[in-house]
Amino acid sequence: MEWITDPWPWYVSGPLIALVMFTLLFVGKQFGMSSNLRTACSIGGAGKAADFFKFDWKKERWNLIVVLGAVIGGFLSANYLSDNTVEINPDVADKLETYGITSTGDAYLPTEIFGTDSLSDPKILAILVIGGFFVGFGSRYAGGCTSGHAISGLSNLQLPSLIAVIGFFIGGLIMINFIYPLIF
Amino acid sequence: MKTLVYLIIGTFFGIVMYKSEAASWFRIYEMFEFGSFHMYGIIGSALALGVIGTQIIKGNNLKAIGGKEMELKPKTMSIPRYLIGGILFGLGWALAGACPGPMYVLAGAGFGSILIVIFGALLGTFVYGILKNKLPH
């Protein structure tokens, strides 16, 4: 059964992501996941607070259906297609151990952060909310996330997307090199 | 019928995100530590095929189903918007260990705590919408 549960190597996964992008292009749409957050705000009535959310969200319904599919895909994978553990570089795992994260190799997400027991810790709760906040704020400010800029935008040789992706890495490197040592 | 197509594309995308481990916090952390080629290989190979395919589409003026133009509009140039927005996104990506696509996938995989991250992301999107006109673009 291992051939079913083993993770897919990069040279299988990357081309399949390109396939998703091209399939969407051929049905007349653009690959982009973060715009769904704006659509969700509009459905929730955020148009009353800011014009940014006043748009015909029904035109974006197709993308919400893609999201629904992604949820189903996650369910199927976690329950039938994976042993839900992730092996990473042992040196990186050692470094995580110094931060108190010891679930490397035993879980798909660190139980120290994503375990339900951890939710009673205000620090963990803050990490989850603030992490999400920056993802939501930053992706809308930059006009896209990993799918919209790093895949779609760069594939179309867009300089704005290159600037955004450089920004993603500046932000990520600041977080793990300067902010992680302060919070973990 | 169209709904089913989008549902299948989404499900396929979700499986790819999970099986490639691109939805794993550990892989994102490892990427920012430059500890493995894995994530760079995923993004790089998707991108290499993406660039070639997009050039073929443009060179042959290929149309989407129904004869519509493909969604390949150029983006408006700006430095502050993409750089500042990008840095803020990167801070969140490395902290939560998930970008928007994988967030939905992880919700389906049964990680309850990811709903808090999604709540944060909705809040961040909402606050951006409120502040949009005051920010440099």
Side-chain angles (χ1 to χ4, degrees), chain A residues 29 33 59-60 68 70 114 144 152 182:
Chain A
K29 305 297 182 195
M33 286 293 150
K59 281 192 181 138
E60 295 297 315
L68 177 64
F114 291 91
S152 294
L182 300 176

Side-chain angles (χ1 to χ4, degrees), chain B residues 17-86:
Chain B
M17 284 292 106
Y18 201 88
K19 291 289 292 174
S20 67
E21 302 182 335
S24 170
W25 185 100
F26 291 112
R27 284 294 194 186
I28 305 303
Y29 179 78
E30 183 191 44
M31 171 182 79
F32 285 124
E33 285 283 1
F34 301 106
S36 163
F37 181 69
H38 185 74
M39 288 301 301
Y40 297 97
I42 292 176
I43 298 173
S45 59
L47 198 49
L49 290 172
V51 170
I52 296 167
T54 307
Q55 291 305 309
I56 293 173
I57 287 170
K58 286 179 153 181
N60 296 287
N61 199 17
L62 298 181
K63 300 279 185 259
I65 289 172
K68 281 199 299 178
E69 286 294 324
M70 294 236 187
E71 289 283 335
L72 289 168
K73 291 182 220 86
K75 296 181 194 292
T76 322
M77 188 53 195
S78 154
I79 290 179
R81 172 175 190 190
Y82 298 109
L83 194 61
I84 304 169

Side-chain angles (χ1 to χ4, degrees), chain A residues 86-98:
Chain A
V86 175
E87 295 292 338
I88 59 167
N89 180 333
D91 295 336
V92 176
D94 287 347
K95 187 162 180 191
L96 280 176
E97 215 157 297
T98 67

Side-chain angles (χ1 to χ4, degrees), chain A:
Chain A
M1 292 296 278
E2 272 182 15
W3 65 275
I4 294 180
T5 57
D6 275 352
W8 290 346
W10 63 264
Y11 50 83
V12 171
S13 312
L16 293 180
I17 293 171
L19 179 65
V20 169
M21 180 185 79
F22 285 123
T23 311
L24 284 173
L25 278 176
F26 273 100
V27 295
K29 305 297 182 195
Q30 197 176 26
F31 183 35
M33 286 293 150
S34 60
S35 55
N36 291 301
L37 297 167
R38 180 188 179 201
T39 310
C41 285
S42 296
I43 294 173
K48 292 190 200 98
D51 288 346
F52 180 65
F53 299 108
K54 279 186 197 150
F55 69 102
D56 185 9
W57 62 264
K58 291 201 172 84
K59 281 192 181 138
E60 295 297 315
R61 209 155 40 183
W62 69 272
N63 212 351
L64 295 177
I65 297 167
V66 174
V67 169
L68 177 64
V71 172
I72 296 170
F75 173 82
L76 294 176
S77 304
N79 286 287
Y80 306 109
L81 304 171
S82 174
D83 65 5
N84 301 304
T85 62
V86 175
E87 295 292 338
I88 59 167
N89 180 333
D91 295 336
V92 176
D94 287 347
K95 187 162 180 191
L96 280 176
E97 215 157 297
T98 67
Y99 290 143
I101 293 172
T102 58
S103 53
T104 315
D106 299 325
Y108 195 87
L109 299 180
T111 49
E112 292 82 357
I113 301 173
F114 291 91
T116 21
D117 303 343
S118 309
L119 287 177
S120 53
D121 182 345
K123 190 179 86 177
I124 297 298
L125 210 54
I127 288 172
L128 297 172
V129 175
I130 295 169
F133 185 93
F134 278 110
V135 168
F137 189 97
S139 58
R140 222 49 292 118
Y141 195 170
C145 60
T146 330
S147 50
H149 278 309
I151 308 288
S152 294
L154 285 184
S155 287
N156 195 17
L157 305 176
Q158 294 294 303
L159 183 59
S161 293
L162 182 63
I163 300 171
V165 173
I166 291 170
F168 296 170
F169 274 86
I170 296 174
L173 292 174
I174 292 173
M175 178 55 69
I176 67 145
N177 288 297
F178 301 112
I179 304 179
Y180 267 39
L182 300 176
I183 54 180
F184 286 114

Side-chain angles (χ1 to χ4, degrees), chain B residues 106-119:
Chain B
L106 292 169
F111 295 99
S113 298
I114 205 73
L115 297 177
I116 297 170
V117 181
I118 294 175
F119 166 77

